[in-house]
Amino acid sequence: MRIIVAEDRAAASECAADVVERFVRDQQRARLGVATGRTTESLYGELARRHRREGLSFAGVDVYLLDEYVGLDPGDPRRFCSVVQRELAQQVDLRRGAVHCLDPDAPDLARECCRYEHVVRSAPIGLQILGIGSNGHLAFNEPGSALDSITRIVTLSEQTRSDNAAFFTDSGFVPERAITQGISTILAAAELLLLACGERKAAAVASAVHGPPCGTVPASALQLHASATIVLDPDAASLL
Ligand code: GLP
């Protein structure tokens, strides 16, 4: 596992953007896995800047979401699919239809999870972008998830719901369920890139890096991957 501690939050986003840029430039057709959250927002902002100013093209890229809330209205801007459209797809030259999402409105969610697992596994994701929850979650694999878990319906922990409650202050409704790629689905990607910033992530990062790889700290699964990079700002690295 390669760990990079950048000078500050902005430098961490730039460093993560360098990894994504190298991956995108190296291939004609690329399968990029994307996470959502406050942390990745600045990474996508940096990629959009490179697209506008430096001609970084995403025309050959297909992006695959990691997870999605269940229970939000189809037009809700907090759906992760909308977030990726807004923060990335609409800012760069991704082709129409290049954003692949999990469908939380599917009449049979278990079947939808199988469909998505198959889509993601049909050819490996080349580079998977990840964040980490303050409780060590990876995508929406909460503590207690199995290391061999696949795409499935999950119940969100109180910690995750409280961390994300700030996005839902208008309605007061914070989703209780989600669909998420499993830990083994994520580990099937050729390369993993985890970005974490802020003191709030320091304890989770330390457990993920120093603890034994186990489902209690889902992000510790990165230790099992042959090509994983963790990019941190000094606050997130403060307990290493
Ligand atoms: C979210 C997502 C994760 C993300 C994490 C961190 O709820 N499901 O994929 O990595 O929590 O989010 P943030 O960057 O907002 O702290």
Side-chain angles (χ1 to χ4, degrees):
M1 209 162 54
R2 191 164 66 117
I3 299 174
I4 300 169
V5 183
E7 204 170 293
D8 56 23
R9 188 178 277 258
S13 295
E14 283 168 27
C15 181
D18 290 344
V19 175
V20 178
E21 173 167 352
R22 208 173 311 125
F23 170 71
V24 167
R25 281 205 197 277
D26 273 0
Q27 357 216 339
Q28 294 271 309
R29 292 305 299 265
R31 283 162 71 89
L32 177 68
V34 293
T36 46
R38 303 164 186 91
T39 318
T40 44
E41 188 175 353
S42 47
L43 166 60
Y44 301 145
E46 175 60 17
L47 292 173
R49 191 196 66 75
R50 292 181 189 198
H51 169 69
R52 284 192 309 272
R53 303 267 168 80
E54 296 161 18
L56 177 63
S57 175
F58 291 79
V61 178
D62 275 275
V63 303
Y64 295 83
L65 269 80
L66 264 185
D67 48 11
E68 184 59 272
Y69 287 122
V70 172
L72 297 179
D73 288 338
D76 195 305
R78 291 156 302 196
R79 279 197 182 201
F80 290 161
C81 195
S82 309
V83 171
V84 168
Q85 290 286 356
R86 195 169 58 240
E87 292 180 0
L88 187 63
Q90 290 166 15
Q91 312 302 326
V92 299
D93 58 345
L94 276 169
R95 299 173 340 275
R96 220 182 151 77
V99 179
H100 304 268
C101 302
L102 294 115
D103 177 8
D105 303 318
D108 183 341
L109 279 184
R111 205 186 169 108
E112 170 59 9
C113 292
C114 283
R115 179 197 70 80
Y116 198 73
E117 178 76 14
H118 181 72
V119 166
V120 171
R121 299 265 191 164
S122 60
I125 299 291
L127 174 67
Q128 176 63 59
I129 298 169
L130 297 161
I132 183 171
S134 66
N135 62 355
H137 77 220
L138 197 61
F140 271 140
N141 293 283
E142 298 282 22
S145 296
L147 292 177
D148 62 357
S149 52
I150 60 171
T151 304
R152 67 202 187 288
I153 309 158
V154 291
T155 299
L156 299 178
S157 69
E158 279 312 311
Q159 179 69 58
T160 295
R161 293 184 69 228
S162 124
D163 286 348
N164 290 350
F167 293 107
F168 297 95
T169 44
D170 55 338
S171 61
F173 168 74
V174 185
E176 289 170 4
R177 293 195 307 155
I179 38 186
T180 183
Q181 286 189 32
I183 296 177
S184 108
T185 322
I186 293 168
L187 291 180
E191 189 180 348
L192 304 180
L193 168 66
L194 186 146
L195 175 62
C197 295
E199 212 182 337
R200 211 168 52 86
K201 302 293 175 70
V205 167
S207 309
V209 169
H210 293 313
C214 64
T216 315
V217 183
S220 65
L222 266 74
Q223 295 178 38
L224 304 172
H225 197 276
S227 182
T229 302
I230 299 186
V231 180
L232 305 168
D233 74 348
D235 287 340
S238 59
L239 296 178
L240 289 183

